[in-house]
């Protein structure tokens, strides 16, 4: 007795399975684009563009699925090189440093102010930073002028600092918008205290791995950080921190890992941290349209 042929839809499904093609609801899931990523902490300094031409750097950002890339550099020429070829992707931030060697000296160097004023007159930015300042140095004249420049133009301050320096900057300008780089490398309970204290403070998670761990089964978010993400879902951003040229080749891997641990959070929280918080922050800042 001959067995009846499967129905046409069934035959199509069997053929698709034999060819490794996914259909139906699974196909919709498989074809869903990965979550876009807003990377709030990237650098493209002189040693990076010497090894990785701008077009290749932009290609790496696109391959990683980045929606926006907040870029600063030492010197600012690196940022301008990227912005010139990808203005819809690159978000320019002005760093005080003209070279890497100024990280520890810039806050005592009054010539930095002239450099920043010159760049601000020539180009447009959404923020100033990332700069390094700690403790009482936040009240030195150079740092005070940086805060004034941000205030005059409504710019974001991207501060790599301790909690004391954050407090001192807000004392100078209570309505500042400050992005705390690396969440101050502080514990989540202390970061939460700062977020409660300053309603216009955001944090980035650049170059941190303590908020989530990887395992064979995926990623797990630390309980302390999960509590912070739940309490402040609108004030956390991601960041890779390409502080050396080699770190540029980690942008894609960092984006993939970020999507893994974000997937363990409620969808709305994950989307906020993944990209929506960055977009909301940009909406409140000047448009970086080239003059």
């Amino acid at each position: 007795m001959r067995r009846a042929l499967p129905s046409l839809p069934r035959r199509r499904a069997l053929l698709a399975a034999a060819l490794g093609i996914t259909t139906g609801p699974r196909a919709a899931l498989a074809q869903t684009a990965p979550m876009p990523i807003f990377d709030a902490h990237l650098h493209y300094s002189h040693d990076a563009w010497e090894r990785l031409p701008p077009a290749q750097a932009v290609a790496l950002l696109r391959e990683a699925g980045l929606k926006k890339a907040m870029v600063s550099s030492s010197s600012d020429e690196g940022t301008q090189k990227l912005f010139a070829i990808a203005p819809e992707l690159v978000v320019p931030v002005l760093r005080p440093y003209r070279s890497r060697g100024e990280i520890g000296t810039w806050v005592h160097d009054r010539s930095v102010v002239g450099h920043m004023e010159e760049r601000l007159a020539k180009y447009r930015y959404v923020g100033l930073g990332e700069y390094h300042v700690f403790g009482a140095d936040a009240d030195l004249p150079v740092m005070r002028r940086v805060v004034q420049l941000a205030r005059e133009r409504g710019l974001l301050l991207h501060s790599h600092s301790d909690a004391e320096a954050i407090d001192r900057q807000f004392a100078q300008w209570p309505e500042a918008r400050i992005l705390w780089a690396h969440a101050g490398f502080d514990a989540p309970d202390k970061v939460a205290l700062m977020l409660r204290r300053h309603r216009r403070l955001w944090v980035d998670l650049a170059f941190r791995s303590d908020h989530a761990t990887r395992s064979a089964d995926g990623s797990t978010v630390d309980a302390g950080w999960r509590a912070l993400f739940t309490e402040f879902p609108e004030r956390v951003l991601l960041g890779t921190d390409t502080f050396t040229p080699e770190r540029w080749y980690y942008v894609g891997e960092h984006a993939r890992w970020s999507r893994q641990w974000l997937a363990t959070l409620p969808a709305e929280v994950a989307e906020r941290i993944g990209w929506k918080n960055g977009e909301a922050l940009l909406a409140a800042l000047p448009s970086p349209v080239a003059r």
Side-chain angles (χ1 to χ4, degrees), residues 22 24 191 222 235 260 263:
T22 307
V191 176
D222 170 80
R235 288 202 274 158
Q260 287 178 2

Side-chain angles (χ1 to χ4, degrees), residues 16-28:
L19 295 175
I21 302 172
T22 307
T23 59
R26 286 186 179 181

Side-chain angles (χ1 to χ4, degrees), residues 70 125-127 153-157 177 278 280-288:
M70 191 176 288
Y125 305 87
V126 302
R153 294 163 173 78
L155 301 177
L156 177 74
L157 291 166
R177 291 184 178 88
L281 191 55
L282 282 188
L285 298 169
S287 173

Side-chain angles (χ1 to χ4, degrees), residues 48-101:
W49 77 66
E50 290 165 2
R51 303 186 195 183
L52 185 70
Q56 292 182 24
V58 168
L60 288 175
L61 299 178
R62 296 194 195 284
E63 288 168 9
L66 266 57
K67 184 178 182 68
K68 294 287 185 182
M70 191 176 288
V71 179
S72 64
S73 59
S74 309
S75 69
D76 182 56
E77 290 300 328
T79 299
Q80 298 308 322
K81 288 175 185 290
L82 294 188
F83 183 69
I85 64 174
E88 79 293 347
L89 171 63
V90 174
V91 180
V93 180
L94 175 59
R95 204 170 200 194
Y97 315 148
R98 292 154 291 193
S99 66
R100 287 189 179 279

